[in-house]
Each structure stands twice: as C-alpha cells, then as structure tokens.
Amino acid sequence: MTRTSPVVVIGGGQSGLAAGYHLRRLGLEFVILDAQVTAGGAWQHTWDSLHLFSPAAYSSLPGRLMPPQAGRPYPDARHVVEYLADYEKRYELPVERPVRVLGVHRDGELLRVETDSGAWRARAVISATGTWWRPFLPAVPGRGGSGVPGRRDFGVPRREVFGGPGREVFGGRQLHTVEYRSPRDFAGRRVIVVGGGNSGAQIAADLAADAELTWVTQRPPRYLADDIDGRALFDAATARRRALDQGRTDTGGVASLGDIVAVPPVREARDRGLLKARPMFTRLVPGGVEWADGARAAADAVIWCTGFRPALSHLAPLRLRGRRGHITTVGTRAADEPRLHLLGYGDWTGPASATLIGVGRPAREAAREIAALLGAPTR
Ligand code: FAD
C-alpha cells in the first residue's frame, strides 16, 4: 500500500518532534514515522543513571519547557522520556510506530519512502534518525597487531570491527555504550572503560565503586570547570557557527572548553580519586589489554565508550553520502537534494542540533524552507 503526505519526517525522537512542532505551526500536513514502539527515541535505551548535562529548563524543545525533576538539578533519562511522550501528546503530533524506514528513493517529482509497513510518497522528507543506532567501535589490534587505533580508523562499520581479527583474542565480554545499563552487571569484575568523553566519564564514574575499574582515554581527560554545563556548550556552539557564517576566525566552539561536563556523579567520583585515567592501550590480549611498554591489565570486560556515527543507511538510495558518511548540507538541506532535510545529527546540521535545546532553531529553519518549497505561506 502506498500513502501520500506532503512531508514525511523519519524518526520520532526529540529532533523529529521538534520538526513536527514547527511544521504544525506553519499549517503543513505531515506524518512522523518512528521505529520505536513507544515515545522517547534513544533516551529509552540509555544506562540507568545517565544524567543530562544541562538543567531541565535548558534541555527544552520549542514551545514547552521541560519541567524540573524533583531532587535532581540535572534530570535523568527517564524524565526526558516522560517529557517527550508528553510533548508528542500535547501537540498532537501524528507519529506512526513502530515503522522502520528502509529506503528513500527519487520518484519523479516526489520522494518515495519505503518502510516495513508500506510506502509513502512525499514532496519533502526530514531525516531525524539520530546516532544511537550506529555505535562506533575503533579498530583495535589483537595480539600480533601494532599501534594505537588512530583517527584514520574511524568510520569502520561496527560489524566489520566486531567480526575482524584482534577483538576475539580478548575472550572476555565487550560492549559498547549502547549496551551498558548498570554497575550491578559488573559488581566485583575487572572492567576497562575506553573513552574520554561524557559517556566514558559517566560510565566510569558509575562503575567506580562497584567494579575494579581501569579507565583509558586517548588523551588526558579534560573536564569543564565545575560551574560550566551544557548551557555553556550550547552558547559556544552557537558562537562558533555565527563566527563561521560571518567569515570570522573559528572560535573553537565546544572543543575549546573541554570534553567532560562534571555532572554531580562524575565530580564526586573524580574528587574521591576514583577516576584516574590511563593512556590508551596498544592491543587486546587474551584476558586483558597491553600497553606499549609491555604493561598489562587483566579484565573481564571492556566497555567501548567510543561514540557514534549518523544513522543514515535509509538514505543510501539517494547516493548523497560523501567522506566520513556525512551528507553535504546547506543549513539543514541536503546540498544535492533540495527535498531532503537532515536534523539533529551534529553541528553539521545546525549548531548544537544534536541537543534538546539546540534542535529547535534548525527544526524551524527546515520547516520554513519546506513551506517555501511547497508554496505554503509562512507566518
Ligand atoms: P534519537 O533520540 O536517536 O531518535 C531518533 C529516532 O529515529 C529513534 O526513535 C529511532 O528509533 C528512529 N529511527 C532511526 N532510524 C529509523 C528508521 N530507519 N526508520 C524509522 N525510524 C528510525 N543532549 C542534550 O541536550 N543533553 C544531554 O545531556 C545529552 N546527553 C547525551 C548523552 C548520551 C550518552 C548521548 C549518546 C547523547 C546525549 N545527548 C544529549 C545528545 C542528544 O540529545 C541525544 O543523542 C538525542 O537522543 C538525539 O535525539 P534525536 O531525535 O536526534 O535522535
């Protein structure tokens, strides 16, 4: 069965909902297709103790402030899920789920969106599928290999890395951020946490009291000052984009501030001396890891907090992807396909677009451009 909607939004997480809010305000007809069974996008699947890195009011989508969570200055993921479910209901956003989009194709004047439950024809598509669904694992040498995984290794699809030689030599449990839930699963175990970003720091802090923790990072952890949180990250990202847009010197944006927001559990573990980072090991060995000087650490598990890539495989039929898997964009619009917009994946689709507070503005721009494309009046 093929249905028609002037606009199809792919993904019903925060980015898809923000797009829906602005499309609705402009009086456009649209549908949101979401692969999840229930509302909340990736926030439904994070580890139990995850804290937002900004207070509630600074983690809000357009139109409705996130209410504070009692007793928590930085709300947890459960609170975000409740907020998103309420947001969706409040604005009566037309979300169909679970519907997985398999591919977007050119079909004359229209785009055809193939799903696991029929197809849609649309004049414009907004892709808002996030990154959680494409965890990234760097290539790591096993016994006999050499060298630390470098940036050049980034971009290796997950299955190749897991299936490749080297990893299996370890023999213990290996998981990515997306599979980690709670320190209860690792009580008394020797665990190596890899990664110096917010996920690595939060998961290391989560494990520090219960597991025998080794935390490894490619460079020494860089904490933001304790009084700086996601609000400052948002301001820095916005200032950077503004500078670049105006041809001024790159301010360095978020990267100039540091990597890790010292949310209360991270700060506490750090201040208790439980978060001591070691440099990246050079290889996996049976039952552990080994550094360049021959030192070894035994481990029952390695948790790879090594980031994500944009989940864009459904756009492959459009043949738009360049190097590193990104699609060239002008604002949110795909440079080579004016009927397609991308929302929420990272700064390349709008400053701070991959944050709750940051996605509102690019969502509004995408909706306005689509209204213009469709010849609809904008308010
Ligand atoms: P998602 O939440 O991933 O939603 C995308 C939706 O699209 C999902 O429901 C998915 O099932 C669906 N989908 C995917 N593929 C398809 C398909 N082919 N067909 C149909 N549906 C599909 N941001 C903040 O503002 N504050 C924070 O504190 C913060 N902390 C973070 C902590 C972690 C560990 C991570 C990973 C991110 C954090 N972020 C934070 C960043 C960002 O807010 C989240 O990543 C957020 O989930 C992104 O929302 P999204 O809607 O773009 O993507």
Side-chain angles (χ1 to χ4, degrees):
M1 184 181 63
T2 301
R3 288 182 279 174
T4 304
S5 172
V7 187
V8 168
V9 179
I10 307 172
Q14 66 201 37
S15 302
L17 300 189
Y21 172 88
H22 283 295
L23 291 168
R24 163 78 27 97
R25 283 194 66 155
L26 294 174
L28 295 175
E29 212 183 300
F30 63 98
V31 63
I32 300 175
L33 308 177
D34 186 39
Q36 297 299 296
V37 175
T38 49
W43 296 106
Q44 303 170 78
H45 303 283
T46 63
W47 62 94
D48 298 348
S49 71
L50 180 141
H51 283 65
L52 288 188
F53 49 64
S54 307
Y58 293 88
S59 305
S60 301
L61 293 181
R64 170 145 172 79
L65 279 182
M66 179 186 286
Q69 185 177 23
R72 281 185 191 267
Y74 297 88
D76 63 20
R78 195 172 37 86
H79 190 67
V80 183
V81 172
E82 283 166 13
Y83 168 71
L84 294 180
D86 174 70
Y87 188 92
E88 190 174 309
K89 220 187 294 167
R90 173 176 292 257
Y91 294 110
E92 296 178 348
L93 298 176
V95 187
E96 300 215 353
R97 48 167 80 89
V99 177
R100 174 167 296 282
V101 171
L102 306 173
V104 179
H105 304 258
R106 294 190 180 90
D107 192 354
E109 298 283 286
L110 301 177
L111 292 172
R112 195 176 72 257
V113 180
E114 298 281 356
T115 82
D116 57 3
S117 55
W120 289 82
R121 299 177 86 218
R123 293 175 66 192
V125 166
I126 297 179
S127 183
T129 48
T131 58
W132 184 261
W133 326 97
R134 208 172 149 230
F136 172 74
L137 287 160
V140 179
R143 196 165 50 169
S146 65
V148 179
R151 285 214 168 269
R152 63 195 158 73
D153 295 314
F154 280 30
V156 179
R158 182 183 180 194
R159 62 183 176 283
E160 284 175 28
V161 173
F162 260 127
R167 237 164 243 287
E168 57 218 21
V169 77
F170 168 59
R173 191 171 166 208
Q174 291 188 64
L175 56 163
H176 186 272
T177 309
V178 298
E179 292 152 310
Y180 174 75
R181 286 293 165 278
S182 156
R184 279 193 307 276
D185 303 332
F186 298 93
R189 303 269 168 194
R190 298 161 302 181
V191 183
I192 302 204
V193 173
V194 183
N198 281 294
S199 307
Q202 282 201 26
I203 290 177
D206 206 30
L207 287 163
D210 294 292
E212 213 179 288
L213 172 71
T214 304
W215 184 30
V216 301
T217 59
Q218 270 192 324
R219 59 180 181 195
R222 300 190 315 158
Y223 295 95
L224 277 80
D226 287 0
D227 59 344
I228 292 187
D229 59 25
R231 288 171 283 194
L233 296 181
F234 176 69
D235 289 345
T238 308
R240 175 171 197 230
R241 177 48 64 103
R242 213 170 276 146
L244 292 175
D245 284 351
Q246 295 169 359
R248 287 187 280 117
T249 315
D250 190 346
T251 59
V254 171
S256 64
L257 297 175
D259 301 317
I260 301 167
V261 180
V263 291
V266 168
R267 197 180 311 167
E268 196 188 307
R270 182 199 62 191
D271 293 349
R272 286 172 59 201
L274 300 174
L275 285 187
K276 296 241 187 313
R278 296 183 65 173
M280 186 65 196
F281 50 81
T282 44
R283 70 191 70 189
L284 291 163
V285 293
V289 300
E290 186 180 276
W291 281 266
D293 63 2
R296 287 191 173 195
D300 302 301
V302 178
I303 305 179
W304 297 93
C305 303
T306 41
F308 302 86
R309 293 293 177 265
L312 297 174
S313 60
H314 56 291
L315 300 178
L318 298 174
R319 298 187 179 283
L320 297 169
R321 289 174 78 162
R323 290 192 68 230
R324 287 176 58 80
H326 286 194
I327 290 174
T328 307
T329 48
V330 181
T332 59
R333 178 168 43 83
D336 296 323
E337 177 46 83
R339 297 166 294 184
L340 174 69
H341 287 256
L342 293 107
L343 205 54
Y345 299 99
D347 279 356
W348 58 285
T349 56
S353 146
T355 63
L356 283 151
I357 197 169
V359 73
R361 184 181 286 249
R364 186 180 66 197
E365 283 162 16
R368 282 185 178 164
E369 278 197 37
I370 288 173
L373 180 79
L374 269 51
T378 54
R379 280 170 244 162

